[in-house]
Amino acid sequence: MGKYFGTDGVRGRANEQLTLDMAVRIGQWLGWYYSKSKTHAKILIGRDTRLSGSMFELGLAAGAVSTGANVYLLGICPTPAISYLVSEEDFDCGIMVSASHNPFYDNGIKIFNHEGIKMPEDILLQIEDYIDGKSQIELATGERVGEYFDWETGLELYISWLKKTNSMDLSGMHIAVDLANGSACSTAVETLDALGATVDAINASPNGVNINLKAGSTHPEGLQRFVIENQCDIGLAFDGDADRLIAVDAKGRLINGDYILYILGLHMHEQNKLNQNIVVTTVMANLGLYKAFQKNNIDYIQTPVGDKYVLEEMMKHDYSLGGEQSGHIIFYKDEVTGDGLFSALRLLHVMKETGKSLEELANGLYIYPQLLENVQVKDKNIVLHDEDIQAKIDEVAQFLGEEGRILVRPSGTEPLIRVMVEAATQRLCEDCVHMVTDLIYKKGYAA
C-alpha cells in the first residue's frame, strides 16, 4: 500500500487529505503516461453525486488534457460503469471520483487500467512520486494538447449491456430501491423499469451533501420499513457509487453479501455454472456461510478484505463467483469489479427462475452473531505489532475454538483498527471484542 493510494484508491476529506492539486497531478501523469506511444491518450472520467465531485472531475480532466490526453466525461455514474466502458470502448484508462460509502465531505479517486481492473500498485507508486515532486513529466504543447468531451452516450451503452446480459421479464414484481442519493440514481430505476418491474425509489434526490446520509447499503433501516409498509417483493440498497448491494426480503430482513453469495453460489452450483465448485470470499465472511457451503458440498477460498484481492484470486484460477459481506459481488465471466445493480439483477433472475421468494432462497444459512468495532488509532502498524495485544487476540481465539473466531485488521482506507468477533451469542461477541478494544484504549493507542 502506498502513501496516498489504499486498497480502493485515494480517499480523504476534500481539500484536506485529498486536494485539487493532487487531482490535477494524477490527471497529468496519466495523460502523459498513456500519450507517450500515441498522439492522444483516451481517458474516461466519472463521478458520484457528492459536492466536491465536479471539482475533482474537472481537475483530473484539466491535468490529463494538459499532457496530451483526450478526456471523456461520463458525469454521474456507478463505478462499475467506468470499469465496463473502459474495456469495451477502447479507453487507455478510467478514473472514478468517489468516496463510496463515506460521508459527502470525503472524496476519492479510483483508477482503472485499459482492462477495467484497478490500476496495479507499481503504476500507483509512480503517480505518488509525481504528486510528491520526485519525478518530472513533459506538458503537451501545440497540437499535442488534448481536449475533453461530455459523453452521455456512455451511460446508455452501460445500461443497454445490463439489460441484454440479464434479459428477463420482471412484470408483476414490486421492487423498492434505496439509491443512497448517489450514483445509482443514474441507472437503477431506468434499468429495472425497462425490464417490466414496478419500482419505488427512496433517497433518490441527490443535492451534493446527502449522499449516504442515513441511506443506502450502510443504513438500510429506511428501506426495511418501506418494504414492509408497501408490501414489496424485495428491496435493493446501493452505496454511494453503486458498486455494492444489500438486499431486503419481503419481511424486512437484511440480505447482506454473505447471503447473496450463498444464494447465488448454491444456484450456480445446482446449474453446474460454478467453475471448479469454488466461491471466493474474504476473511470477513461469516462462519455460518462456510458451514452452509460445506453442507452443500461447495468449496471456498478466503482472501484479505478488499474486492481487489477477491478479483486477483478469481483471475488467477478463473473462478466465476466471489465477493464480500459488504455487498461487493463479482461475476468474473461478466465483469471485473463489484456492481450493485448487476448483482441485483442476478438475484432477481434466481427468484424468477426458481419461483421462490428471497426469504425462501436465504433459508439454510445461519448467520452467527457478529460484532465489528472500529477504533480510530494514531498508528495502525504499532497497534498490530504490540505483543500484549497479539497475546490477547490469541487468548480470545483459543477461547472461542471452532464455534467462533476473532479477526483484527487495519482499515485499508481509514486510520482504524477493526476488531471483529463471531460467536454463539451476541453477548459473547461483545465480551470478546471489548477484551481487545479496551486494551487498545488502555495502552493509549486510540486517536
Side-chain angles (χ1 to χ4, degrees):
M1 217 178 298
K3 177 179 177 181
Y4 303 115
F5 288 93
T7 56
D8 201 26
V10 183
R11 192 176 297 185
R13 283 205 173 212
N15 283 339
E16 292 182 31
Q17 292 92 359
L18 178 61
T19 66
L20 177 59
D21 180 65
M22 289 172 66
V24 172
R25 294 182 76 81
I26 290 170
Q28 284 181 328
W29 195 94
L30 291 170
W32 166 80
Y33 180 78
Y34 286 106
S35 295
K36 288 191 295 183
S37 59
K38 57 175 66 177
T39 304
H40 295 294
K42 185 180 177 185
I43 296 178
L44 179 64
I45 301 178
R47 62 182 175 93
D48 67 21
T49 60
R50 65 193 71 226
L51 193 62
S52 60
S54 57
M55 173 180 70
F56 290 119
E57 171 195 52
L58 295 176
L60 287 160
V65 164
S66 75
T67 51
N70 284 338
V71 173
Y72 293 74
L73 301 181
L74 194 57
I76 294 171
C77 67
T79 291
I82 295 291
S83 174
Y84 168 75
L85 291 167
V86 163
S87 60
E88 291 296 315
E89 298 298 317
D90 197 31
F91 285 91
D92 293 296
C93 71
I95 309 171
M96 181 67 184
V97 180
S98 174
S100 188
H101 57 280
N102 286 29
F104 86 93
Y105 47 75
D106 288 340
N107 218 323
I109 297 173
K110 308 178 187 183
I111 309 174
F112 298 87
N113 68 14
H114 66 282
E115 296 176 323
I117 299 169
K118 288 178 181 177
M119 196 68 78
E121 189 169 3
D122 63 320
I123 298 295
L124 298 179
L125 292 175
Q126 292 181 61
I127 296 174
E128 290 191 353
D129 282 346
Y130 180 65
I131 292 173
D132 286 339
K134 296 178 181 178
S135 63
Q136 301 296 319
I137 62 174
E138 183 182 352
L139 298 181
T141 57
E143 294 181 354
R144 290 188 59 250
V145 174
E147 53 186 325
Y148 77 86
F149 312 90
D150 291 318
W151 193 49
E152 296 177 2
T153 305
L155 206 54
E156 297 171 8
L157 292 172
Y158 170 67
I159 292 173
S160 295
W161 171 76
L162 283 174
K163 292 186 293 187
K164 180 180 178 181
T165 311
N166 298 280
S167 179
M168 58 184 150
D169 183 6
L170 295 178
S171 298
M173 186 166 280
H174 186 189
I175 301 173
V177 293
D178 184 341
L179 306 181
N181 295 307
S183 291
C185 292
S186 64
T187 55
V189 173
E190 178 180 344
T191 303
L192 294 167
D193 182 70
L195 293 172
T198 298
V199 186
D200 289 327
I202 62 173
N203 299 311
S205 301
N207 60 14
V209 300
N210 62 359
I211 185 171
N212 300 315
L213 183 62
K214 298 180 180 178
S217 61
T218 53
H219 298 279
E221 302 85 9
L223 180 63
Q224 291 175 280
R225 290 192 297 269
F226 188 91
V227 166
I228 294 171
E229 292 169 0
N230 293 275
Q231 299 182 328
C232 301
D233 297 304
I234 186 175
L236 305 169
F238 305 97
D239 65 332
D241 67 334
D243 65 351
R244 66 170 74 176
L245 168 75
I246 297 295
V248 174
D249 71 18
K251 292 185 177 180
R253 184 175 64 164
L254 284 181
I255 304 295
N256 66 12
D258 284 343
Y259 276 107
I260 295 170
L261 284 175
Y262 169 72
I263 292 168
L264 296 172
L266 188 58
H267 185 71
M268 292 172 71
H269 170 72
E270 292 170 347
Q271 300 285 319
N272 293 316
K273 294 179 179 178
L274 192 60
N275 193 26
Q276 301 180 57
N277 198 42
I278 283 178
V279 176
V280 182
T281 73
T282 75
V283 293
M284 285 297 290
N286 192 273
L287 182 62
L289 177 62
Y290 299 131
K291 291 183 178 290
F293 279 157
Q294 290 167 359
K295 184 178 179 181
N296 288 280
N297 299 312
I298 296 173
D299 298 321
Y300 59 85
I301 285 177
Q302 290 181 318
T303 74
V305 174
D307 58 327
K308 68 176 282 187
Y309 301 113
V310 173
L311 178 62
E312 285 174 3
E313 191 67 28
M314 296 177 78
M315 292 176 64
K316 201 181 301 180
H317 301 285
D318 198 32
Y319 299 136
S320 47
L321 177 66
E324 298 186 281
Q325 187 183 82
S326 61
H328 285 118
I329 310 296
I330 300 175
F331 303 86
Y332 180 52
K333 294 190 181 300
D334 299 288
E335 288 188 297
V336 290
T337 190
D339 187 333
L341 186 51
F342 193 98
S343 300
L345 293 169
R346 284 296 164 93
L347 206 54
L348 292 166
H349 174 77
V350 175
M351 292 174 66
K352 294 293 288 188
E353 191 168 275
T354 62
K356 294 181 179 179
S357 67
L358 194 57
E359 180 187 9
E360 291 172 315
L361 291 170
N363 285 340
L365 172 58
Y366 171 73
I367 294 294
Y368 277 61
Q370 184 184 83
L371 179 64
L372 172 65
E373 188 167 312
N374 297 320
V375 182
Q376 189 163 359
V377 295
K378 303 166 189 173
D379 190 310
K380 294 181 283 189
N381 289 324
I382 291 177
V383 176
L384 292 175
H385 288 90
D386 184 287
E387 292 183 0
D388 293 336
I389 290 174
Q390 283 300 320
K392 183 62 68 175
I393 294 169
D394 293 340
E395 178 186 332
V396 173
Q398 187 173 2
F399 170 73
L400 291 171
E402 293 185 1
E403 288 305 310
R405 64 182 181 126
I406 181 170
L407 178 66
V408 180
R409 67 178 186 86
S411 166
T413 57
E414 300 171 89
L416 302 174
I417 292 293
R418 305 191 191 279
V419 182
M420 186 275 288
V421 169
E422 290 169 346
T425 67
Q426 192 66 29
R427 176 62 185 270
L428 192 55
C429 288
E430 292 171 3
D431 290 345
C432 289
V433 164
H434 292 153
M435 286 173 69
V436 177
T437 58
D438 287 352
L439 186 57
I440 293 174
Y441 285 109
K442 183 179 179 181
K443 301 202 77 169
Y445 292 138

